[in-house]
């Protein structure tokens, strides 16, 4: 066979093959329109710039049907299309079409009566020409309804009206139609129904009938002929990022500052600062105040916003707790300020190393020490200084209550290419040991530090045998209300105890520990019954780490809920004021509490792919949060309601019968955490007070 004949046969076979392929894909060819210059193209849930579109074209994507493209010898869905369960190529819309159908990538075709990019906005047919109704038109969601004037009847087409003598005689309140010749019938607009007389319309309460489901934070409010989803009590509408949201208004909050001894004596004239997180990281001051002689302070704070409450006073150690005030709830925070347990007077020598060991008051301090190198203190030579020290056993949660909550802050400067957070990030800390140190010159003058000095802090035995050779040292920044990493220390054994020794440059609180980023969350609900039909509000729940040093406390909301973030894989103990203790272990994927459930501060960029572990605690009705009737001494009368409210958050005020000033105790007391009255009952009888004083002197 001649070469020309062979070429002709091959050409014919190639044409037959192309025709058979075209028959296998019965899609009509569509002419592709090129996008305008500078316009972004939306495909596969992503907006592509013209440069990217040019690269996609370089792959020789050829459209052969509605959403079907040929890539060389392979056929697949075009960009912006995806296969459904039947194998057909369907367009993809990033936002779901509410009342419509996705017909092209990122494009919705709306049903009649709806409009908008996602077909979620009602189209008011009554406000556009030509008018759909002959007489009167009333718009409704996604539709409309026509009404006729008095003496007319609505025709079967639903839009036109005709004169009707029977309708004129019927005298319907809204609308009349002849269901058949000479038989009139009244009907009502949407949201109304015919009354007993068959002529007038009465309102339908959609809220009471349960016909409406409102979004979170909103409640149904009935209106004549309709309803509204308004903000719940204590919330108000505010525009945030172009959206109308229900946010809490400012609420009243009470701060109780006490000494954590057995009597929990109130601390007056304590400085209290409320801090919040502004945009860009860090903290800012919301408001400040000082406690009264009863250790109480009432402040106005923003609701549903993470806050840090910092309390301090000369002679006491600073404390801080995180709090999220909620509307419609009693927002009370109790802060316990500890005192230094060890003090040593030294005569400072600028040319020598000053070593101070604390061994007398506590077995925890038998390995505690402070070492100042020559010239470290900004003091005159031979000047006397008082060095105070307080070690904290992190295995005792009662002692941890006097330690500022373990919320750390780190600076992160990560480039935006990796889509990582840049700036200040919040983390929680795991404490292995903690201590506070203070240096005062005569006249209670703080002593400055010129160079770093060494501090030794006893640690929990958990590190023994773990191979950990170094730990980070975190200093509590009173201005910011968070812990900041400022040192790296070595792990050593001193006098038989594991200790952390590191160089520090500040006085105040120090913690030897490390951060934990990955978290599990525990959602707690407290109820009076097994089915939680009667949730318990304002129930205090304390959480203490069993295998790591951590402590915090939260109160349940109106639905009986509160939530805790814990170290991922860690074990904690939940301790309600009433009821049995519960041990919970963190397992599963990382998860954090959502805001609005009283959760403590945590890195907002924390990845959360799992679910919180649910724990239900049932308590008896007799264990309701109540402080009981407070004690009354001789000559003391209660002001106001003498029957007395002794529930959580209640205040009681007293006076002396003879209008004199009390000789002791507190005239105002509050029922706060775990059914405890703040302060002590006032004493107005001088003989009773003197008798108690002599009794104390005679006591061994």
């Amino acid at each position: 066979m001649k070469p020309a004949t062979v070429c002709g046969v091959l050409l014919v076979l190639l044409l037959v093959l192309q025709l058979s392929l075209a028959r296998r894909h019965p899609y009509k060819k569509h002419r592709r329109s090129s996008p305008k210059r500078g316009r972004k193209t939306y495909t596969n849930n992503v907006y592509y710039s013209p440069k990217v579109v040019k690269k996609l074209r370089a792959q020789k994507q050829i459209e052969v049907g509605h959403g079907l493209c040929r890539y060389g010898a392979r056929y697949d869905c075009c960009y912006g299309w995806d296969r459904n369960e039947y194998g057909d190529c369907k367009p993809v819309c990033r936002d779901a079409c509410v009342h419509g159908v996705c017909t092209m990538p990122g494009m919705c075709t709306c049903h009649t009566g709806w409009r908008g990019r996602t077909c979620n906005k009602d189209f008011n047919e009554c406000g556009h020409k030509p008018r759909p109704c002959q007489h009167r038109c009333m718009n409704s969601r996604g539709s409309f309804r026509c009404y006729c004037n008095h003496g007319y009847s609505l025709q079967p087409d639903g839009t036109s009206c005709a004169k009707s003598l029977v309708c004129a005689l019927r005298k319907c309140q809204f609308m009349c139609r002849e269901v058949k010749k000479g038989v009139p019938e009244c009907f009502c607009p949407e949201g109304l129904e015919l009354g007993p007389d068959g002529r007038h319309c009465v309102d339908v309460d959609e809220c009471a009938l349960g016909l409406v489901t409102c979004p979170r934070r909103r409640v149904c409010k009935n209106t004549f002929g309709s309803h509204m989803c308004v903000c719940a009590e204590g919330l108000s509408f505010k525009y945030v990022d172009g959206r109308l949201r229900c946010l809490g208004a400012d609420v009243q909050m009470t701060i109780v500052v006490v000494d954590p001894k057995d009597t929990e004596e109130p601390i007056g004239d304590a400085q209290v600062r409320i801090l919040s997180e502004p945009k860009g990281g860090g903290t800012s001051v919301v408001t400040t105040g000082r406690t009264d002689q009863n250790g109480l302070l009432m402040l106005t704070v923003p609701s549903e916003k993470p806050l840090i409450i910092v309390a301090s006073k000369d002679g006491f150690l600073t404390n801080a707790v995180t709090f999220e005030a909620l509307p419609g709830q009693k927002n009370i925070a109790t802060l316990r300020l500890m005192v230094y347990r060890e003090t040593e007077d030294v005569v400072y020598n600028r040319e020598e190393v000053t070593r101070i060991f604390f061994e007398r008051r506590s077995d925890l301090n038998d390995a505690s020490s402070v070492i100042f190198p020559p010239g470290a203190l900004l003091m005159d030579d031979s000047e006397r200084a008082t060095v105070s020290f307080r070690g904290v056993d992190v295995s005792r949660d009662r002692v941890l209550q006097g330690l500022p909550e373990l919320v750390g802050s780190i600076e992160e400067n990560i480039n935006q290419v990796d889509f990582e957070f840049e700036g200040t990030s919040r983390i929680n800390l795991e404490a292995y040991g903690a201590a506070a140190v203070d240096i005062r010159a005569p006249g209670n003058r703080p002593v400055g530090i010129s160079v770093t000095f060494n501090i030794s802090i006893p640690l929990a035995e958990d590190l023994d045998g773990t191979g950990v050779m170094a730990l980070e040292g975190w200093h509590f920044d009173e201005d910011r209300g968070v812990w900041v990493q400022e040192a790296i220390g070595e792990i050593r054994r001193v006098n038989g105890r594991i200790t952390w020794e590191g160089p520090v440059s500040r006085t105040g609180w120090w913690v030897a520990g490390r951060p934990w980023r990955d978290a599990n969350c525990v959602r707690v609900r407290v109820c009076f019954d097994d089915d939680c039909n009667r949730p318990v509000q304002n129930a205090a729940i304390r959480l203490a780490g069993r295998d790591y040093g951590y402590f915090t406390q939260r109160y349940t909301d109106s639905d009986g809920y509160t939530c805790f973030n814990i170290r991922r894989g860690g074990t904690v103990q939940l301790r309600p004021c009433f009821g049995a203790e519960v041990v919970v272990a963190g397992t599963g994927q990382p998860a954090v509490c959502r805001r609005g459930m009283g959760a403590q501060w945590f890195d907002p960029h924390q990845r959360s792919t799992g679910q919180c572990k649910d724990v239900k605690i049932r308590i008896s009705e007799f264990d309701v949060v109540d402080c009981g009737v407070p004690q009354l001494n001789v000559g003391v009368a209660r002001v106001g309601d003498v029957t007395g409210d002794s529930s959580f958050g209640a205040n009681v005020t007293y006076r002396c019968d003879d209008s004199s000033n009390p000789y002791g105790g507190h005239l105002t007391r509050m029922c706060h955490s775990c059914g405890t009255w703040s302060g002590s009952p006032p004493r107005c009888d001088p003989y009773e007070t003197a008798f108690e004083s002599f009794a104390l002197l005679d006591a061994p």
Side-chain angles (χ1 to χ4, degrees):
M1 187 178 293
K2 296 182 180 181
T5 306
V6 174
C7 292
V9 172
L10 292 176
L11 182 60
V12 171
L13 291 175
L14 182 61
L15 292 174
V16 172
L17 179 62
Q18 289 183 348
L19 288 174
S20 63
L21 289 175
R23 289 175 180 175
R24 289 177 60 188
H25 301 279
Y27 296 97
K28 295 182 179 180
K29 293 186 178 181
H30 297 274
R31 184 178 179 181
R32 299 185 63 192
S33 58
S34 59
K36 295 182 179 180
R37 184 181 299 274
R39 178 177 295 179
K40 292 184 178 180
T41 303
Y42 182 84
T43 58
N44 259 358
N45 290 342
V46 180
Y47 283 101
Y48 291 99
S49 64
K51 291 183 179 180
V52 178
V53 173
K54 186 176 181 181
K55 291 182 180 180
L56 296 178
R57 289 178 177 173
Q59 300 178 8
K60 298 182 179 179
Q61 168 185 297
I62 302 175
E63 186 176 355
V64 298
H66 189 63
L68 183 68
C69 291
R70 179 161 60 89
Y71 303 87
R74 180 176 59 89
Y75 289 86
D76 204 347
C77 294
C78 302
Y79 289 97
W81 300 71
D82 198 4
R83 292 193 183 276
N84 60 13
E85 62 273 18
Y86 304 107
D88 299 328
C89 293
K90 295 296 182 182
V92 177
C93 291
R94 178 181 58 179
D95 298 321
C97 303
V98 181
H99 298 284
V101 180
C102 183
T103 53
M104 293 294 289
M107 182 183 299
C108 296
T109 299
C110 300
H111 298 317
T112 303
W114 299 95
R115 63 183 180 88
R117 188 175 61 87
T118 59
C119 303
N120 62 336
K121 297 180 180 180
D122 173 60
F123 177 72
N124 186 4
E125 297 87 350
C126 300
H128 291 77
K129 292 182 179 181
R131 306 294 185 189
C133 301
Q134 182 179 355
H135 285 183
R136 292 180 293 168
C137 179
M138 180 177 289
N139 185 59
S140 61
R141 285 181 57 82
S143 183
F144 65 95
R145 198 167 188 180
C146 296
Y147 298 89
C148 298
N149 296 330
H150 181 67
Y152 288 80
S153 173
L154 186 66
Q155 298 303 294
D157 61 4
T159 59
S160 58
C161 301
K163 284 187 176 183
S164 173
L165 180 60
V166 291
C167 279
L169 296 175
R170 182 65 175 165
K171 297 182 179 180
C172 297
Q173 181 182 5
F174 280 93
M175 192 57 199
C176 178
R177 61 187 169 197
E178 292 188 40
V179 292
K180 60 182 180 180
K181 189 66 175 178
V183 181
E185 180 186 55
C186 299
F187 64 96
C188 303
E190 184 179 3
L192 302 177
E193 62 183 5
L194 277 177
D197 61 358
R199 296 188 299 111
H200 294 85
C201 297
V202 295
D203 177 52
V204 176
D205 192 343
E206 299 90 348
C207 302
L209 296 175
L211 303 177
V212 180
T213 301
C214 290
R216 181 174 172 265
R217 296 173 180 249
R218 299 192 187 187
V219 294
C220 182
K221 181 180 180 181
N222 186 58
T223 60
F224 185 78
S226 185
H227 68 277
M228 298 175 61
C229 286
V230 299
C231 293
E233 183 180 358
L235 306 179
S236 59
F237 282 116
K238 294 181 182 178
Y239 275 102
V240 179
D241 298 330
R243 298 180 60 186
L244 195 63
R245 299 178 56 189
C246 289
L247 299 178
D250 292 345
V251 296
Q252 289 291 323
M253 180 179 182
T254 303
I255 294 94
V256 185
V257 182
V258 297
D259 189 328
K261 295 179 182 178
D262 293 337
T263 57
E264 291 204 341
E265 191 72 9
I267 300 176
D269 198 35
Q271 174 70 32
V272 177
R273 295 183 303 121
I274 309 294
L275 309 176
S276 69
E277 175 202 20
K279 291 185 178 180
T283 53
S284 63
V285 178
V286 175
T287 184
T288 62
R290 289 187 176 273
T291 57
D292 58 17
Q293 67 272 21
N294 303 299
L296 304 176
L297 173 64
M298 294 190 64
L299 294 173
T300 301
V301 299
S303 65
E304 299 181 289
K305 187 174 184 180
L307 303 173
I308 295 181
I309 307 171
V310 183
S312 59
K313 185 180 181 179
D314 286 343
F316 293 87
L317 289 165
T318 301
N319 197 0
V321 297
T322 61
F323 201 89
E324 190 169 355
L326 300 178
Q329 200 166 310
K330 296 177 180 179
N331 297 291
I332 302 174
T334 303
L335 287 88
R336 296 168 172 85
L337 305 188
M338 298 191 299
V339 297
Y340 289 99
R341 300 192 63 177
E342 293 275 356
T343 57
E344 291 288 342
D345 292 333
V346 297
V347 178
Y348 183 60
N349 189 335
R350 296 183 58 87
E351 304 299 327
E352 297 180 357
V353 176
T354 304
R355 293 181 174 87
I356 305 173
F357 297 92
F358 303 95
E359 303 175 351
R360 298 177 303 177
R361 292 288 300 278
S362 171
D363 58 351
L364 183 66
N365 291 338
D366 59 2
S368 304
S369 64
V370 177
I371 302 176
F372 299 102
L377 304 181
L378 298 178
M379 297 178 61
D380 296 333
D381 200 15
S382 301
E383 189 176 4
R384 183 174 293 275
T386 300
V387 181
S388 302
F389 189 88
R390 173 74 188 238
V392 173
D393 186 355
V394 297
S395 63
R396 299 172 55 197
D397 59 282
R398 180 173 176 82
V399 180
L400 276 177
Q401 296 179 39
L403 186 72
E405 192 161 330
L406 296 170
V407 177
S409 177
I410 59 175
E411 301 293 333
E412 292 183 340
N413 295 308
I414 303 176
N415 57 57
Q416 296 290 340
V417 177
D418 298 326
F419 302 100
E420 293 289 343
F421 179 65
E422 185 175 3
T424 303
S425 179
R426 299 186 306 273
I427 52 177
N428 286 118
L429 303 178
E430 174 183 359
Y432 289 94
V437 62
D438 186 41
I439 310 169
R440 298 279 173 165
N444 203 32
R445 175 175 58 87
V447 176
I449 308 296
S450 60
V451 296
T452 59
F453 62 95
N454 279 14
I455 184 173
S456 177
I457 303 175
L459 303 183
E461 295 296 332
D462 296 342
L463 281 177
D464 196 11
T466 61
V468 177
M469 303 300 296
L471 271 180
E472 301 169 357
W474 298 77
H475 177 260
F476 182 69
D477 188 336
E478 296 185 14
D479 294 333
R480 298 168 59 186
V482 293
W483 296 85
V484 181
Q485 180 193 346
E486 294 191 1
I488 298 290
E490 298 179 354
I491 306 301
R492 295 182 179 179
R493 182 174 288 275
V494 178
N495 295 334
R497 290 190 64 94
I498 302 296
T499 63
W500 178 88
E501 296 184 7
V504 300
S505 58
R506 303 171 188 267
T507 59
W509 277 113
W510 283 90
V511 158
R514 53 190 176 188
W516 44 276
R517 283 188 174 275
D518 284 346
N520 294 127
C521 53
V522 179
R523 187 172 61 174
V524 182
R525 193 176 194 191
V526 183
C527 307
F528 286 127
D529 59 315
D530 292 332
D531 297 330
C532 279
N533 295 320
R534 292 180 295 163
V536 181
Q537 185 179 9
N538 297 320
I541 305 294
R542 297 176 178 177
L543 178 142
R546 295 195 69 183
D547 56 355
Y548 68 103
Y550 188 78
F551 176 85
T552 188
Q553 177 176 305
R554 296 289 176 264
Y555 294 95
T556 56
D557 60 15
S558 57
D559 295 323
Y561 281 108
T562 189
C563 192
F564 298 91
N565 292 323
I566 66 174
R567 189 190 69 180
R568 186 182 180 191
T571 303
V572 297
Q573 192 167 23
L574 299 173
R575 299 174 180 174
C577 296
F578 309 99
E581 298 178 350
V582 180
V583 177
V584 182
T587 57
Q589 295 297 319
V592 295
C593 302
R594 63 173 176 83
R595 286 190 173 180
M597 293 193 67
Q600 60 268 51
W601 272 26
F602 205 76
D603 185 354
H605 302 271
Q606 157 76 28
R607 55 194 180 96
S608 180
T609 58
Q611 299 292 328
C612 292
K613 180 172 290 187
D614 289 319
V615 175
K616 184 168 63 175
I617 299 176
R618 179 184 175 183
I619 65 175
S620 170
E621 295 186 25
F622 299 101
D623 294 332
V624 67
V625 181
D626 193 295
C627 292
V629 180
Q631 176 185 348
L632 282 179
N633 290 322
V634 178
V636 179
R638 184 167 178 171
V639 179
D641 183 12
V642 294
T643 58
D645 177 13
S646 57
S647 63
F648 177 80
N651 279 314
V652 291
T653 304
Y654 305 97
R655 64 174 178 83
C656 294
D657 287 338
D658 56 0
S659 301
S660 61
N661 295 323
Y663 293 90
H666 302 87
L667 290 179
T668 301
R669 305 177 68 189
M670 169 173 281
C671 178
H672 62 117
S673 60
C674 289
T676 305
W677 285 108
S678 64
S680 57
R683 295 185 293 272
C684 297
D685 190 343
Y687 299 103
E688 179 186 13
T689 305
F691 178 79
E692 292 181 357
S693 301
F694 284 120
L696 291 174
L697 291 175
D698 294 337

